[in-house]
Amino acid sequence: SVTLYGRLNISAESLHFSSTPTRSASRLNVLTSDASLWGMRGVEDLGGGLRAYFKLESGFQVDSGALTSTTQVFSRESYVGLGNGNWGSVQLGSQWAPGLWQSLRADPFQRFGPGGQPYLLQGARGYTLRYDNAIQYLTPTFAGLSGRAYYAAGEGQPTGRATALNVDFENGPVYAGAFYENTLTSAASVGLAGGGRASRTASFAGAYDFGVLRLSGQYQTNSTEGVPHAKGYLVGVAVPVGAGQIRASYLHRSAPNADASLMGAGYWYYLSKRTQLFVNVARLANDGTAAFRMGPAIAEQAALGPAGPGAGQDTTGFQVGVMHFF
Amino acid sequence: SVTLYGRLNISAESLHFSSTPTRSASRLNVLTSDASLWGMRGVEDLGGGLRAYFKLESGFQVDSGALTSTTQVFSRESYVGLGNGNWGSVQLGSQWAPGLWQSLRADPFQRFGPGGQPYLLQGARGYTLRYDNAIQYLTPTFAGLSGRAYYAAGEGQPTGRATALNVDFENGPVYAGAFYENTLTSAASVGLAGGGRASRTASFAGAYDFGVLRLSGQYQTNSTEGVPHAKGYLVGVAVPVGAGQIRASYLHRSAPNADASLMGAGYWYYLSKRTQLFVNVARLANDGTAAFRMGPAIAEQAALGPAGPGAGQDTTGFQVGVMHFF
Amino acid sequence: SVTLYGRLNISAESLHFSSTPTRSASRLNVLTSDASLWGMRGVEDLGGGLRAYFKLESGFQVDSGALTSTTQVFSRESYVGLGNGNWGSVQLGSQWAPGLWQSLRADPFQRFGPGGQPYLLQGARGYTLRYDNAIQYLTPTFAGLSGRAYYAAGEGQPTGRATALNVDFENGPVYAGAFYENTLTSAASVGLAGGGRASRTASFAGAYDFGVLRLSGQYQTNSTEGVPHAKGYLVGVAVPVGAGQIRASYLHRSAPNADASLMGAGYWYYLSKRTQLFVNVARLANDGTAAFRMGPAIAEQAALGPAGPGAGQDTTGFQVGVMHFF
């Protein structure tokens, strides 16, 4: 009645930070963990097509054994659901927000590594990864079409309340999706003082698998109260080569005097369905006041304090690692 | 040799706080988790009637994925036991104190929901839920009669040392129980300055299952050094209806200028043995300086700061949710 | 594909602290947990002799249900490995440093109880137990001979970078081993101000099992920048008696004006392969400025503040407990 599962992603990563007028070039060599997890999940058949199910998923760092979140043990998802193939499902708990599903399908790196989509498009003035205290309705899938409606209770706090919707279409080689999110983000996260600010994100993505390669793209726009619009896009390609895949993407994010771009390429080799080796390279270019960090070694860069990327500083990253599922 | 198990309880809860001379009426809508847990347990047969066993149980919040205790991962119970059917068992570790077993049998809500027994009778000037560093001896069950003797080492600290005893009689439709607890509670928890204060709690409970309904009651009295006596009682009823149960209880707690009462009713519907749906309503009335909070959304109310219930403020709660075992 | 396992060690321990010119004699009675753990591990056969494997191991206190480390959930080991019987294995993550393996073979108590080796030879100015962000290469075993080469990335921090090597020989009744560790330890840990200090530890150990008893010994020397050399040794014996084992050891550690010795004896009785009862006694004598604490109740002694052992204060400990594996 319960399945124990996990994913361990660990790599050696070398980051080079460019010189800027106020900082000299520097280098950081680290071991880093990327979205590693263990979890428990289960399904109970209640008869008449009804089923109860749950998921408890804990994110942690393989390189240090630490939890990814200092406040949440099941920081990835923690929910109970009741569902029916004809009427859909309702899930209660801490859950991925609708923006996640699109990022997984549009990003050829599936969010992993230094070139991953989250490092430029997710977070303040982009989509939100997860909300606590959320209620989600999932439609059944009909002719490849499915949708999600999402509400997070703010629980009397200035931020955290959200409504979101997404629609996905998947049929053979085609993927198309759209999502919309309306949330109260913290003023501090967009460089302002005060309480929550209304933040609206819309995004559209598509992909086509030609067999010899899979092309994908995403366009996202964000409007947050009190700050200028931010926009971003991604184009990606994945090419099957031998027992692996070449992956590459280009992302651009624009906001007044804070543009940034991220270019990544990598090779993923499948030792088995459960074990993969990978090598990735990426370059993140910050312009103006932009100071985006290249993942996944965000915590390691933060620990360096002022030696991490500053406004206008570029990062080049090289990564070699292993991913193992259990 | 090890069983992985759990219980997920999540609900939508709406709380209404009455107006008082110093606060206006307010409302709080939350998702809340009630005594959710996952754990590991196992038994080893050592031969000759002897067995070794253990339990490690972690309390967490399904709504946020956070641990219930910020300092303990196995915050519910964590112990090793050695036992024999003729001589009884000894358990070492962090364990429920004897007061728990009576509350589970006397309270028709079995401690769950806004009308649950713990919110008025457990804690400072009532019974203690759990001690760390405890040694417990459990007698064998003889003709329905069983007992527990409990000692918690204070480990040189001003609070935390405790001795406790309980006796339970369960035979067919009859339950009767008594417990006594003698502990050092912190002075701060009863509004005083200084170190530990001797606190003694005695409690008696009984229940009879008539088949068409089960009646239950409990009477508890506490004497804590330096503060007046506190007393409390509970009367409860559970009525099987269809594939479910109507539950109702009334609790009263009296202390000088700090009386409080809690009235609750609910319907619990069993989709299966492992999955239940429930709806509960309750009203907690505080008099004088009493400022009890209605459960289980204690953390959510605490996060609101001064908007939570204050002295003399009443709370009305409505809750609808699901409980799933794995 | 995943195995859930654990070890629970809990005991009642009584400590007596000698009187010194500045402190009077005192006593502490505690329940204490010793290296208790739960974990997940697994192996995948990738074909051609290659295998992928992992280990995630969480240390916790059975007596309180708390994590042993406040910052790491998998505080014991957290790694992924790829290995081959002919070429050896590479492991990435948080891992025991090479000094651990020798301590397990030299110490008749296998690191458990008040007389355990770690309390005098491990830590600042001795070997390090574990590093995060480590890469380790393990040779295959050839005619009983095996080795490990270890590197921990400092990740731009003043401490934590380390290189280490060990060689072990095990053949029938014979064990012989050597290790060398070169690390940057924190200046504060050796009583100095400033950043990391180079610390080098070398150690040699041997054991012979005569059948009627097993003799073992270890010699360790440490050289840390800015402080005098520290040296230590251990002699131990284990004698099979009935369904158990008598264990005894003597350790001495010398540094200028900070000598200490630890003498321990105990009886371990095997109720089964998975469940053991034990009784241990030990005496730790501090000279000069030495203020070593007797394990495993380190946290309980630390919580006592100035009542814990001070410079030159001796501790006598008595412990009775149970260890259970699952």
Side-chain angles (χ1 to χ4, degrees), chain B residues 12 48 56 76 107 115 145 150 167 205 209 218 226 231 278 291 319:
Chain B
L56 302 173
R76 292 183 55 93
D107 180 1
L145 206 64
Y150 193 99
V167 180
D209 193 339
Q218 182 179 12
K231 280 179 279 192
F278 54 82
Q319 183 198 42

Side-chain angles (χ1 to χ4, degrees), chain A:
Chain A
S1 63
V2 52
T3 300
L4 195 61
Y5 65 95
R7 176 176 70 200
L8 309 178
N9 179 312
I10 189 163
S11 59
E13 190 171 6
S14 182
L15 298 174
H16 178 265
F17 305 101
S18 72
S19 77
T20 67
T22 57
R23 293 151 179 260
S24 54
S26 63
R27 184 174 291 283
L28 177 64
N29 296 317
V30 295
L31 243 66
T32 188
S33 172
D34 196 356
S36 299
L37 64 92
W38 75 275
M40 294 174 274
R41 64 184 170 217
V43 182
E44 182 193 9
D45 184 350
L46 293 164
L50 195 64
R51 62 194 193 112
Y53 58 100
F54 72 95
K55 181 180 163 193
L56 302 173
E57 200 169 282
S58 181
F60 70 96
Q61 304 293 110
V62 190
D63 55 343
S64 68
L67 286 177
T68 300
S69 161
T70 56
T71 57
Q72 295 168 297
V73 60
F74 296 119
S75 60
R76 291 184 54 92
E77 285 198 296
S78 162
Y79 66 73
V80 183
L82 275 175
N84 174 304
N86 295 323
W87 298 99
S89 304
V90 173
Q91 295 176 182
L92 300 176
S94 178
Q95 305 171 61
W96 302 131
L100 172 79
W101 310 106
Q102 203 174 98
S103 70
L104 283 170
R105 285 162 180 81
D107 181 1
F109 292 104
Q110 292 175 285
R111 305 172 55 85
F112 286 106
Q117 187 257 26
Y119 306 107
L120 223 49
L121 298 186
Q122 179 180 306
R125 306 179 72 186
Y127 68 95
T128 305
L129 179 58
R130 194 195 69 243
Y131 290 97
D132 296 338
N133 305 301
I135 302 179
Q136 189 173 194
Y137 168 70
L138 295 84
T139 69
T141 300
F142 181 75
L145 206 64
S146 65
R148 293 160 179 261
Y150 193 100
Y151 173 74
E155 305 209 332
Q157 301 302 312
T159 64
R161 197 171 65 221
T163 49
L165 282 166
N166 80 319
V167 180
D168 283 313
F169 175 74
E170 286 189 287
N171 205 329
V174 182
Y175 166 71
F179 80 79
Y180 175 75
E181 179 188 355
N182 185 347
T183 186
L184 284 170
T185 197
S186 80
S189 74
V190 291
L192 300 174
R197 301 284 172 142
S199 177
R200 294 177 188 85
T201 305
S203 182
F204 306 90
Y208 195 90
D209 192 339
F210 294 95
V212 295
L213 61 85
R214 182 180 183 274
L215 275 180
S216 58
Q218 182 179 12
Y219 174 79
Q220 176 179 293
T221 176
N222 173 277
S223 158
T224 299
E225 202 185 347
V227 292
H229 281 238
K231 280 179 279 191
Y233 65 84
L234 172 159
V235 289
V237 62
V239 184
V241 175
Q245 218 177 27
I246 291 173
R247 301 174 179 183
S249 69
Y250 177 80
L251 288 91
H252 190 87
R253 181 196 153 97
S254 51
N257 195 31
D259 277 28
S261 66
L262 176 57
M263 202 158 49
Y267 182 63
W268 288 64
Y269 180 77
Y270 297 79
L271 283 169
S272 74
K273 288 190 80 159
R274 287 178 48 202
T275 305
Q276 310 167 15
L277 301 177
F278 54 81
V279 52
N280 289 312
V281 293
R283 180 169 177 82
L284 195 160
N286 283 310
D287 283 337
T289 62
F292 290 93
R293 284 189 174 138
M294 174 180 285
I298 298 285
E300 286 87 346
Q301 293 174 65
L304 285 179
Q313 197 168 29
D314 301 339
T315 311
T316 308
F318 173 78
Q319 183 198 41
V320 51
V322 60
M323 180 147 77
H324 179 69
F325 292 84
F326 68 85

Side-chain angles (χ1 to χ4, degrees), chain A residues 1-4 38 40 42-44 46 50 52-56 67 71-75 78-80 82 92-94 130-135 153-157, chain B residues 4-5 8-12 28-32 37-38 58 60-67 73 271-275 277 300 303-304 320-326:
Chain A
S1 63
V2 52
T3 300
L4 195 61
W38 75 275
M40 294 174 274
V43 182
E44 182 193 9
L46 293 164
L50 195 64
Y53 58 100
F54 72 95
K55 181 180 163 193
L56 302 173
L67 286 177
T71 57
Q72 295 168 297
V73 60
F74 296 119
S75 60
S78 162
Y79 66 73
V80 183
L82 275 175
L92 300 176
S94 178
R130 194 195 69 243
Y131 290 97
D132 296 338
N133 305 301
I135 302 179
E155 305 209 332
Q157 301 302 312
Chain B
L4 195 60
Y5 66 96
L8 310 179
N9 180 312
I10 188 163
S11 59
L28 177 64
N29 296 317
V30 295
L31 243 66
T32 188
L37 64 91
W38 75 274
S58 180
F60 70 95
Q61 304 292 111
V62 190
D63 55 344
S64 68
L67 286 177
V73 61
L271 283 170
S272 74
K273 289 189 81 160
R274 286 179 48 202
T275 305
L277 301 178
E300 286 86 346
L304 285 178
V320 51
V322 59
M323 180 147 77
H324 179 68
F325 292 84
F326 68 87

Side-chain angles (χ1 to χ4, degrees), chain B residues 154 156-161 184-186 195-197:
Chain B
Q157 301 302 311
T159 65
R161 196 172 65 222
L184 284 170
T185 197
S186 80
R197 301 286 172 141

Side-chain angles (χ1 to χ4, degrees), chain C residues 41 46 49 56 204 215 254:
Chain C
R41 65 183 169 218
L46 292 165
L56 303 173
F204 307 89
L215 275 180
S254 50

Side-chain angles (χ1 to χ4, degrees), chain C residues 24-282:
Chain C
S24 54
S26 64
R27 184 173 290 283
L28 176 65
N29 296 317
V30 295
L31 244 66
T32 188
S33 172
D34 196 356
S36 299
L37 64 92
W38 75 274
M40 294 174 274
R41 65 183 169 218
V43 183
E44 181 193 10
D45 183 349
L46 292 165
L50 195 64
R51 62 193 193 112
Y53 58 100
F54 72 95
K55 182 179 163 194
L56 303 173
E57 200 169 282
S58 180
F60 70 96
Q61 303 293 110
V62 191
D63 56 344
S64 68
L67 286 177
T68 299
S69 160
T70 57
T71 55
Q72 295 168 298
V73 61
F74 296 119
S75 59
R76 292 182 55 92
E77 285 198 298
S78 162
Y79 66 73
V80 183
L82 275 175
N84 174 304
N86 294 324
W87 297 99
S89 304
V90 174
Q91 294 175 182
L92 300 177
S94 178
Q95 304 172 62
W96 301 130
L100 172 79
W101 310 106
Q102 201 173 100
S103 70
L104 283 170
R105 285 161 181 81
D107 180 1
F109 293 104
Q110 291 174 286
R111 305 171 55 85
F112 288 106
Q117 186 256 28
Y119 305 108
L120 224 49
L121 298 186
Q122 179 181 306
R125 305 178 72 184
Y127 68 95
T128 305
L129 179 58
R130 195 196 66 243
Y131 290 97
D132 297 337
N133 306 302
I135 301 179
Q136 190 173 194
Y137 167 71
L138 295 82
T139 69
T141 300
F142 181 75
L145 206 63
S146 64
R148 292 161 180 261
Y150 193 99
Y151 173 75
E155 305 208 334
Q157 302 301 313
T159 64
R161 196 171 65 222
T163 49
L165 282 167
N166 81 320
V167 180
D168 283 314
F169 175 74
E170 287 189 285
N171 206 331
V174 181
Y175 165 72
F179 81 78
Y180 175 75
E181 179 188 354
N182 186 346
T183 186
L184 283 170
T185 197
S186 80
S189 74
V190 290
L192 299 175
R197 300 286 171 141
S199 177
R200 294 177 188 82
T201 305
S203 182
F204 307 89
Y208 195 91
D209 192 340
F210 295 94
V212 295
L213 61 83
R214 180 179 183 276
L215 275 180
S216 57
Q218 182 180 12
Y219 175 79
Q220 175 179 293
T221 178
N222 172 278
S223 159
T224 300
E225 201 185 348
V227 293
H229 280 240
K231 280 178 276 190
Y233 65 85
L234 172 159
V235 290
V237 63
V239 184
V241 176
Q245 217 178 28
I246 291 173
R247 302 173 179 183
S249 68
Y250 177 80
L251 289 90
H252 189 86
R253 181 195 154 99
S254 50
N257 194 32
D259 277 27
S261 67
L262 175 57
M263 200 159 49
Y267 182 63
W268 288 64
Y269 180 78
Y270 297 79
L271 284 169
S272 74
K273 288 190 79 159
R274 288 179 45 202
T275 305
Q276 309 169 16
L277 301 177
F278 54 83
V279 51
N280 291 311
V281 293

